[in-house]
Amino acid sequence: MNAVKQPIKFVHKLCDWYRANRRDLPFRENPDPYRILVSELMLQQTQMDTVIPYYMRFIEQFPNVASLAAASPESVLKAWEGLGYYRRARYLHQTAQTIMHKHNGVFPKTVSALKQLPGIGNYTAGAIASIAFNLPVPAVDGNVIRVMSRVLAEDCDFSQRKNVQQLEVLLEQLIQHDRPSDFTQALMELGALVCQKKPRCERCPVNAHCLAYANNEMMRYPHMPAKAQKTKLSYYVFLIGNSEQGYVFQKRPEDGLLAGLLQLPQYAGPFQTACKLLEEDLGISIVKTESLFLVHHVFTHIIWDMQVIHTIITDDASLTLHTLDNLPGTLSKAHRKILERLEK
DNA sequence: TAGGCGTGGAT
DNA sequence: TATCCAAGCCT
């Protein structure tokens, strides 16, 4: 791996730029490790603008580790509703409980101790250690890989761990030369504001140190490996009920996609089989069905095509109906889209 | 280690 | 519309 040209100058220019240009973000108001923890978990694979309103509500509802640890898993999941990657909510909750019960409410302050907490991996441990505790340890996320692969003109595949480890060694040297908290955030802030997918090199504080810029090959980095094709799945989604009294919901399995979340009754085809399964699961009899519309929903690795079926059943007082503001759990976006379309 | 795991913004 | 991919982690 190449070295950075004039590394000490590079670090000071980068950190000075950060201190002059950093955004006012809610979790930058104070370096409370709990707030850094919550923000980092929310920001995993999720954009800033999406996270901020969730973060504000979450901190108001669970202002510290103790209040989060004492909360029910359901209430934490509900606060996460719509943010995606719902495992993160469960991990965050478990981490709060571990800190309260195994660390006596005191935040672990080493990378190795942080990494033992659920949901905290290599990046997040480094981010908390450097940002909240100002320790000189690197935190390599997608921004840092984009910035540094260009600065170094390094086209290796950073989805491979050994290459990230090499970058960490290099950054561990650089971070010694300024405030670690500023250095970590400066690299990410540069990636977010300047060294974007389409970089704005003319406003970059370290373009004089950038090998990709010198070679005019910015768009070549970072090198991304090809991604697997998405699997397409088709379902029938059964609408039982009406907009006034609500609809029938069912709970998804406790593991896998959208684990433990609510959904409208949903079955794979063929149609007759789907109807039979619906009748067996709910203990009902279908009187009449009407095909309404198709809803398309794209996940990271799967595509759902959901054919929505309005379903009339024989009178059955044992079924419980729920409206959107009266749900006994957390609803996925895929099915919320269906209900929102019905209201139009 | 490669693939599972959500959602929304940008293009 | 289709594709990419964003402050990743876990198994």
Side-chain angles (χ1 to χ4, degrees), chain A residues 112-127:
Chain A
S112 59
L114 285 166
K115 277 170 78 167
Q116 289 176 30
L117 296 167
I120 299 186
N122 205 48
Y123 159 74
T124 306

Side-chain angles (χ1 to χ4, degrees), chain A residues 40 123 131 141 143-144 184-193:
Chain A
E40 289 301 341
Y123 159 74
I131 296 173
D141 73 333
N143 282 307
V144 175
T184 289
Q185 295 182 81
L187 274 181
M188 292 194 285
E189 196 79 340
L190 190 73
L193 300 182

Side-chain angles (χ1 to χ4, degrees), chain A residues 13 25 41 54 59 73 104-106 120 136 174 212 215 223 233 256 259 317:
Chain A
K13 283 190 211 167
L25 300 173
L41 265 290
Y54 281 90
I59 290 297
N104 297 317
V106 180
I120 299 186
L174 295 183
N215 301 333
H223 168 71
L233 299 174

Side-chain angles (χ1 to χ4, degrees), chain A residues 52 67 82 110 231 235 239 298 316 326 329 333 340:
Chain A
I52 285 177
S67 60
T110 65
T231 305
Y235 293 101
L239 277 173
V298 181
D316 192 331
N326 178 31
K333 271 286 175 186
E340 284 170 354

Side-chain angles (χ1 to χ4, degrees), chain A residues 26 92 100 150 220 223:
Chain A
L92 177 57
M100 287 308 292
R150 286 170 174 162
R220 181 170 156 186
H223 168 71

